[in-house]
Amino acid sequence: PLQIGNRGTVTEAAGFKVEEDVNRLRGAMKGAGTDEAAVIEVLARRSIAQRQRIKEAYKQTVGKDLTDDLQGELTGNFENVVLGLLMTAPVYDAYELRNAMKGAGTEEAALIDILASRTNAEIRAITAVYIKGSSYTVHSLSVPCIDTFAVGSQDIYEAGEARWGTDEVKFLTVLCVRNRNHLLQVFKEYQKISGRDIEDSIKREMSGSLENVFLAIVKCLKNKPAFFAERLYKSMKGLGTTDSVLIRIMVARAEIDMLDIKAEFLKAYGKTLHSFIKGDTSGDYRKILLELCGE
């Protein structure tokens, strides 16, 4: 496929001429200062596949790495967005996961955003990249997903509510199954048996990171664009912005389901995602995010 999804704001650019794009980027970095507008115009309006072709052509023409050159020119959040746009999807996810696990504290948000929302095939691709480029042992990314069908709602009920102390492993096995429709049926059954929604049970039975992961998995299964809309809203509401979350979702979903995320955002919060980003960011960082968001 020319683009990785069909509900994105970023699509394959028509009349794509890779040499022209390379020349524009070269020109943008010539002399003192950088023409950020040119960088935004080229990179935010091309698909991931097209950006890969630009990177290859740049390397052949200029003899240097486009990522390195841009890294030398740009700073801050704007730089983080641009560098993310230059990576393929599994590489970007692996890069974000590795950053999340660096240092003392793990940035839980990254793990949750990525591991709860990606499909099994996507997780396998990320894991392959992660292992290849990593001095970590493989188990540091043992995703708690098992390719089996759910044991069923009775099982969830017994693992959770019906017994004191939650059997987390069983809960995970049931939640991390392949078949989304099957799981949604399981949740409906669960409600019948236990008299309460699966999300309520998770909140009652668990706490901390584990609760966050489970809730994210369930929300993603029920409605993935709504899950991302909520993450975006929480990254911007109140004082300050959690830029890492904002950037990761805007970069990772631009080509997949950003149209649906925007619709869910408007539905849930009565304001457009565009207006939220505009009010919360500034400069070239704002410009490139709004380009990825679309009107």
Side-chain angles (χ1 to χ4, degrees):
L2 296 174
Q3 58 216 36
I4 52 179
N6 56 4
R7 299 289 304 148
T9 43
V10 173
T11 53
E12 192 78 3
F16 172 61
K17 295 191 178 64
V18 71
E19 299 77 19
E20 283 180 18
D21 284 350
V22 168
N23 287 333
R24 285 202 67 189
L25 289 170
R26 284 182 77 176
M29 292 186 273
K30 274 223 173 81
T34 313
D35 179 0
E36 284 89 356
V39 173
I40 294 170
E41 211 167 292
V42 172
L43 296 180
R45 295 180 184 172
R46 305 289 179 271
S47 68
I48 294 172
Q50 288 175 326
R51 292 185 208 119
Q52 298 314 301
R53 289 188 47 202
I54 293 169
K55 274 167 68 176
E56 286 156 24
Y58 189 92
K59 182 89 177 162
Q60 284 165 358
T61 319
V62 185
K64 279 153 75 191
D65 195 65
L66 177 58
T67 303
D68 293 345
D69 280 359
L70 284 166
Q71 224 166 350
E73 296 273 334
L74 311 174
T75 55
N77 289 323
F78 179 59
E79 177 190 0
N80 292 337
V81 176
V82 170
L83 297 184
L85 291 176
L86 289 171
M87 299 177 202
T88 61
V91 169
Y92 183 57
D93 282 348
Y95 166 83
E96 286 287 297
L97 287 170
R98 186 166 303 134
N99 282 346
M101 293 192 250
K102 258 195 198 133
T106 297
E107 193 222 331
E108 191 186 272
L111 301 183
I112 291 174
D113 280 346
I114 294 168
L115 299 181
S117 66
R118 305 308 190 247
T119 63
N120 281 348
E122 286 169 333
I123 296 278
R124 278 192 288 274
I126 296 164
T127 307
V129 170
Y130 194 92
I131 293 163
K132 207 172 75 185
S134 173
S135 55
Y136 292 88
T137 48
V138 177
H139 72 251
S140 56
L141 192 61
S142 62
V143 181
C145 283
I146 300 155
D147 280 1
T148 70
F149 281 101
V151 205
S153 42
Q154 192 64 44
D155 236 44
I156 294 193
Y157 181 60
E158 281 163 13
E161 292 276 315
R163 290 197 4 231
W164 294 107
T166 306
D167 179 355
E168 280 103 358
V169 179
K170 213 166 190 184
F171 230 136
L172 263 181
T173 313
V174 177
L175 288 180
C176 290
V177 292
R178 254 191 286 230
N179 183 328
R180 181 164 174 271
N181 293 337
H182 177 75
L183 255 190
L184 293 174
Q185 278 312 115
V186 170
F187 294 157
K188 282 203 186 87
E189 286 300 314
Y190 179 88
Q191 218 157 346
K192 277 186 207 154
I193 297 169
S194 70
R196 67 166 55 95
D197 186 70
I198 184 94
E199 288 184 40
D200 295 337
S201 277
I202 290 171
K203 286 178 186 153
R204 285 166 57 109
E205 286 286 320
M206 299 178 177
S207 61
S209 305
L210 200 71
E211 178 186 350
N212 295 340
V213 172
F214 278 118
L215 281 177
I217 291 172
V218 171
K219 283 175 181 173
C220 281
L221 281 162
K222 286 183 175 175
N223 184 338
K224 201 180 284 186
F227 166 77
F228 284 120
E230 184 189 1
R231 301 291 285 177
L232 285 167
Y233 176 73
K234 286 184 171 165
S235 78
M236 292 183 279
K237 79 170 183 28
L239 280 175
T241 308
T242 314
D243 292 295
S244 57
V245 173
L246 176 56
I247 292 170
R248 180 168 49 247
I249 296 174
M250 295 307 294
V251 169
R253 309 310 293 186
E255 207 172 299
I256 301 175
D257 52 4
M258 188 55 69
L259 294 172
D260 300 323
I261 293 169
K262 284 162 63 175
E264 292 291 346
F265 193 97
L266 183 61
K267 199 165 92 184
Y269 307 110
K271 289 202 169 80
T272 63
L273 177 59
H274 190 280
S275 70
F276 247 73
I277 293 172
K278 198 173 172 180
D280 237 61
T281 55
S282 61
D284 294 310
Y285 173 47
R286 175 202 274 165
K287 283 180 192 148
I288 200 163
L289 287 181
L290 290 179
E291 195 66 56
L292 295 174
C293 172
E295 278 304 327

